[in-house]
Amino acid sequence: MISPARSWREAPQRYRLEAAKCTGCGRVCYPPRVVCPSCRGRDFEHVVLPREGNVVTHTVVRVPPQGFVEQSPLTIALVQLKDGTRLMVQMADVADPETVHAGMPVRLEFRRINSDGEAGVIYYGHKAVPA
Ligand SMILES: [Zn+2]
């Protein structure tokens, strides 16, 4: 479980869609990392990612993990943002998963991801919605 303090610390970064750009090789990491997966560099500068992009590929999860059952089926998309950064996000506002396709324009929005019923904790993160 994520402690309130940790959630608070992570919130601004998540909300603004901040990523870390490696000063060594230019790779953009989202979420930010401590060590660059490409060149093992440790120097990063903060960049704010664009919210607009396109679906590269997607998958539909018809037997979702615990905590996501109410949102079944889940559509998970690999989205390429306008600056070339790729990230995996859940699709939202899609009534029919069959309408999601490669090249589909999307926009990232800050949404409720799921809730832990027992603890009453609600997790937020970015989801892609049709643009
Ligand atoms: Zn690097």
Side-chain angles (χ1 to χ4, degrees), residues 65-80:
Q66 190 176 10
F68 290 87
V69 177
E70 66 190 61
Q71 301 176 57
S72 176
L74 280 182
T75 304
I76 306 295
L78 175 64
V79 171
Q80 179 161 335

Side-chain angles (χ1 to χ4, degrees), residues 22-27 36-41 44:
C22 176
T23 56
C25 70
R27 174 157 176 170
C36 175
S38 293
C39 73
R40 315 306 295 174
F44 293 92

Side-chain angles (χ1 to χ4, degrees), residues 15-17 48-56 78-87 89 91 103-110 126-131:
Y15 187 75
R16 289 200 303 262
L17 204 54
V48 177
L49 298 177
R51 291 184 176 276
E52 297 78 33
N54 297 84
V55 171
V56 176
L78 175 64
V79 171
Q80 179 161 335
L81 301 177
K82 295 296 184 194
D83 71 345
T85 302
R86 290 184 171 198
L87 48 105
V89 287
M91 296 286 300
M104 179 180 177
V106 292
R107 186 178 68 249
L108 297 180
E109 291 193 351
F110 203 65
H126 287 94
K127 290 186 182 181
V129 300

